[in-house]
Amino acid sequence: MKNKILFLFVIAGIFLASCSKEEWDAKATDPVITTEDFGIKESHENQECVVDLIAGQTIHVGEVQVSNDDTYFYVSYVITNSNWELIDIHLAVSTDSPGSGEWLSNGWQNRPGNPAPGRFPYKFDDGTLSNGTWSIAIPLEDIGPDGAEAGDLVCMGAHAVVRKTTGSDAGRTETAWGSGPRFVNRGNWAMYFCCEIKDDPDPGPPPVIIF
């Protein structure tokens, strides 16, 4: 009897060892995420959370700057590479982690996990932006299923289309994302990142649009 029990434990151990990290991650329904998982830059000026805006997987074209006050959650796309300009914006924010909650129920991600920027709720996508910055102020009470408050982690898909303005390839467009982990491990390179709602924060950038 003892030999049979030992044999079962050995088989179970081999099975667990054979499961890849990706397989277990794919099964997680409520992954634990902290800001340490993201390439968050040092705060500068009044911004609390800053990540790179990456186009075509490798081109650094600017930043996505995030901050909040007691009422609003501010997100700004800022082009810092003078060879590029913003054309379209698509933004999703939630206290739910990608792969769960609103991301799935609202269609922001499909079943395989790829994001659907066209379904993101905050957008400017008629192709006429032609600008170096775009900012939005979202009421904290509108973020996530129950609103957001100090200490909550807000996850974002910050998508953009940017256009080259100089050189022989002027007019070329590229997809851009706020830098962070990929939504899916293989294929689509789309990324997301998360920022913590600050308590007693510095004021954010002035809003352009309020939803």
Side-chain angles (χ1 to χ4, degrees):
M1 183 65 178
K2 290 182 178 179
N3 288 338
K4 289 183 177 179
I5 293 175
L6 178 61
F7 176 77
L8 291 174
F9 272 111
V10 171
I11 294 299
I14 293 173
F15 173 77
L16 290 173
S18 67
C19 290
S20 68
K21 181 179 184 298
E22 289 77 15
E23 289 172 329
W24 285 110
D25 285 348
K27 297 174 183 177
T29 57
D30 189 18
V32 176
I33 300 176
T34 70
T35 53
E36 294 179 357
D37 296 321
F38 307 96
I40 304 299
K41 294 182 172 183
E42 292 292 329
S43 298
H44 63 85
E45 297 179 354
N46 290 328
Q47 308 305 326
E48 296 289 348
C49 179
V50 181
V51 300
D52 291 327
L53 183 63
I54 303 298
Q57 301 191 50
T58 60
I59 307 166
H60 180 272
V61 296
E63 296 177 337
V64 183
Q65 303 172 354
V66 179
S67 62
N68 68 274
D69 56 25
D70 293 332
T71 306
Y72 291 104
F73 186 78
Y74 302 101
V75 181
S76 292
Y77 291 67
V78 179
I79 296 296
T80 59
N81 185 330
S82 60
N83 297 317
W84 296 85
E85 64 182 357
L86 285 170
I87 299 299
D88 291 338
I89 298 291
H90 300 92
L91 175 68
V93 301
S94 181
T95 51
D96 291 330
S97 301
S100 66
E102 289 189 306
W103 293 89
L104 299 180
S105 63
N106 292 336
W108 302 345
Q109 285 178 271
N110 60 22
R111 285 184 178 274
N114 295 307
R119 291 179 173 267
F120 288 1
Y122 307 107
K123 62 186 70 177
F124 189 109
D125 60 359
D126 65 1
T128 63
L129 188 58
S130 299
N131 204 347
T133 62
W134 184 86
S135 297
I136 187 170
I138 305 170
L140 293 176
E141 64 184 12
D142 291 347
I143 298 175
D146 304 307
E149 58 185 20
D152 286 346
L153 205 60
V154 175
C155 293
M156 286 158 277
H159 172 267
V161 176
V162 296
R163 180 168 58 200
K164 188 84 181 298
T165 58
T166 61
S168 59
D169 58 347
R172 173 169 64 95
T173 60
E174 294 281 358
T175 292
W177 288 93
S179 182
R182 291 190 177 193
F183 282 94
V184 293
N185 292 323
R186 295 181 180 87
N188 194 325
W189 67 276
M191 299 179 286
Y192 71 95
F193 64 99
C194 302
C195 295
E196 184 179 347
I197 299 291
K198 302 296 183 180
D199 190 14
D200 192 25
D202 290 330
V208 173
I209 307 171
I210 298 179
F211 285 86

